[in-house]
Amino acid sequence: MSNFAIQDKKMTRDSNMELLRIVAMLLVLVVHSGFKSLGYPTEEEAIANPISIYMRYVVESISIICVNVFVLLSGWYGVNVRKQRFLAFIFQVLFFSVGIFLLHFILSLPKISFDGIGSILALKGSDYWFVKAYIGLYILAPVLNSFVKNSSRELFKVTLLAFFVFQSVYGWWTSGANWFEGGYSTFSFIGLYLLGRYIRLYSPHYTRFSYTIDFCIYCVLTFSLSAIGFLLTYFGHGLDHILFQYTCPLVILSSLLFLLAFSKMNIKSKTINWIACSSFAIYLLHTNRFIFDDFYCRQIALWSDKLDVSSFALYTFLWIASFFFVAIFIDKIRILCWNHILKIQSHL
């Protein structure tokens, strides 16, 4: 089940998992305020300011699970391919891409070019990469669901094991198969989707701990990742970059433990569900080509250069919160528009 579309009103939505969607999207904002905005710490920075740089690694380790959690959630519920749901997803993407392009055009009056129009359709590789990777997963979902339905548990397990061993060797450690793209690809999404389905369907024994134990293990993994990254930088080994890829086994394991912890909570909240159905809008707003590098990331980098640590943390927190609430508000307008379109369609 994807949160990208207007969901069936009759569908029961688990608020604990909807809260996980919200948290994951907040972590997307956080991860983009870290190494993406400020760059990877250098050996000189680590030696001069070890505590500050270590905390940057902690923040990166906590937030790097964001994308994997979203895809694991799709596997947890399974993608049920429906025409109306897919069209609602496309409408949401276009609502933001067209709207932001028009606003940018009005404010700056650039020449209308193929490059500008291309931003609407995400023709560049960096434009809305998640949208394109997820559409690829959506197209393949019927095939993947058929495999899940018709395969034995043993075949399913062996396939998953083989996939992640192959990805770890060629899509992470050596980059020998560059089409994994460090997890920025449909192929990586397939592995995460199948992992989410397997865990949900079979609940292997290592997934049956209490949510407190799951969360504790997640914390251990997270602080281990940050410590390894910091030490590699401090001693000048330069391997910390590969630790913070979506294909890193520690990142995948942390993502899974984080999801398992939330899956065992019992939360019922209409407010959480109301916010969660618009959570993907946060990605669509702040990663748009006309906003991401020159507005979102650049402002954070400027604060990092000019402010002390506490002021920088406060300003960045308020910046993230602003994007969160503005995106949710805009998406509620989008939902009203989409529901109006469906209403008109029903009368035709």
Side-chain angles (χ1 to χ4, degrees):
M1 180 180 69
S2 169
N3 70 309
F4 303 148
I6 302 297
Q7 302 209 14
D8 190 337
K9 293 181 180 180
K10 296 180 180 179
M11 185 180 297
T12 300
R13 298 169 63 191
D14 303 320
S15 296
N16 51 316
M17 302 307 270
E18 296 304 305
L19 178 60
L20 178 59
R21 295 187 196 280
I22 298 170
V23 172
M25 189 50 63
L26 279 170
L27 293 180
V28 172
L29 287 165
V30 173
V31 80
H32 288 157
S33 71
F35 293 172
K36 181 63 179 178
S37 296
L38 308 178
Y40 277 87
T42 64
E43 180 183 354
E44 293 75 18
E45 289 175 325
I47 293 172
N49 299 291
I51 296 178
S52 176
I53 296 304
Y54 175 70
M55 290 310 300
R56 281 177 59 183
Y57 274 106
V58 170
V59 171
E60 192 75 12
S61 300
I62 290 171
S63 57
I64 194 63
I65 65 171
C66 53
V67 168
N68 289 353
V69 167
F70 260 80
V71 183
L72 285 169
L73 266 169
S74 291
W76 183 266
Y77 287 105
V79 172
N80 187 5
V81 177
R82 294 180 182 176
K83 178 182 176 181
Q84 184 170 307
R85 180 171 293 175
F86 181 72
L87 290 177
F89 172 50
I90 297 300
F91 178 78
Q92 185 183 27
V93 174
L94 291 176
F95 186 87
F96 278 86
S97 63
V98 173
I100 294 172
F101 171 76
L102 291 176
L103 181 61
H104 181 266
F105 178 79
I106 293 169
L107 293 177
S108 60
L109 296 178
K111 292 181 179 180
I112 296 179
S113 63
F114 177 78
D115 187 59
I117 299 299
S119 69
I120 296 175
L121 302 176
L123 297 182
K124 280 190 174 182
S126 58
D127 288 341
Y128 286 160
W129 73 267
F130 184 94
V131 172
K132 291 174 285 190
Y134 192 86
I135 289 175
L137 177 65
Y138 195 90
I139 291 170
L140 294 172
V143 178
L144 299 176
N145 292 340
S146 179
F147 167 76
V148 171
K149 181 180 179 180
N150 296 296
S151 298
S152 66
R153 178 175 179 175
E154 185 62 24
L155 176 60
F156 198 166
K157 182 172 67 174
V158 170
T159 300
L160 273 177
L161 181 62
F163 177 92
F164 284 108
V165 168
F166 181 75
Q167 177 179 260
S168 296
V169 174
Y170 292 102
W172 173 63
W173 184 252
T174 67
S175 297
N178 56 13
W179 29 268
F180 275 102
E181 298 182 23
Y184 292 77
S185 66
T186 296
F187 199 79
S188 287
F189 281 16
I190 289 172
L192 291 171
Y193 178 82
L194 291 176
L195 177 60
R197 293 302 299 139
Y198 181 84
I199 297 299
R200 180 72 187 279
L201 292 174
Y202 296 111
S203 298
H205 64 88
Y206 52 83
T207 67
R208 299 173 192 167
F209 301 116
S210 67
Y211 73 87
T212 53
I213 293 178
D214 288 335
F215 189 72
C216 286
I217 297 174
Y218 158 75
C219 289
V220 170
L221 292 171
T222 296
F223 285 104
S224 298
L225 187 65
S226 57
I228 294 170
F230 172 78
L231 291 173
L232 286 172
T233 300
Y234 188 88
F235 291 106
H237 292 293
L239 295 174
D240 57 313
H241 291 64
I242 68 170
L243 287 176
F244 299 96
Q245 294 181 358
Y246 299 132
T247 50
C248 174
L250 278 178
V251 173
I252 294 172
L253 190 56
S254 296
S255 306
L256 181 59
L257 267 297
F258 200 69
L259 176 140
L260 287 172
F262 273 82
S263 72
K264 295 161 186 174
M265 299 177 184
N266 184 20
I267 303 173
K268 301 294 181 184
S269 171
K270 292 182 179 179
T271 301
I272 289 175
N273 294 350
W274 182 81
I275 295 173
C277 68
S278 292
S279 60
F280 189 60
I282 301 163
Y283 169 83
L284 295 174
L285 176 64
H286 90 280
T287 62
N288 185 274
R289 183 197 301 187
F290 298 114
I291 293 176
F292 189 55
D293 288 324
D294 294 335
F295 190 56
Y296 183 81
C297 294
R298 179 174 293 180
Q299 186 59 64
I300 292 172
L302 287 174
W303 286 332
S304 177
D305 291 337
K306 296 180 179 180
L307 301 175
D308 59 79
V309 174
S310 58
S311 297
F312 168 74
L314 175 61
Y315 277 52
T316 302
F317 170 79
L318 294 175
W319 192 239
I320 289 172
S322 298
F323 271 89
F324 180 88
F325 289 111
V326 168
I328 297 298
F329 174 77
I330 295 173
D331 196 62
K332 295 309 174 184
I333 299 174
R334 187 271 308 177
I335 291 175
L336 289 175
C337 293
W338 178 248
N339 288 339
H340 186 65
I341 292 172
L342 293 180
K343 186 177 180 180
I344 293 173
Q345 182 187 36
S346 67
H347 288 89
L348 293 179

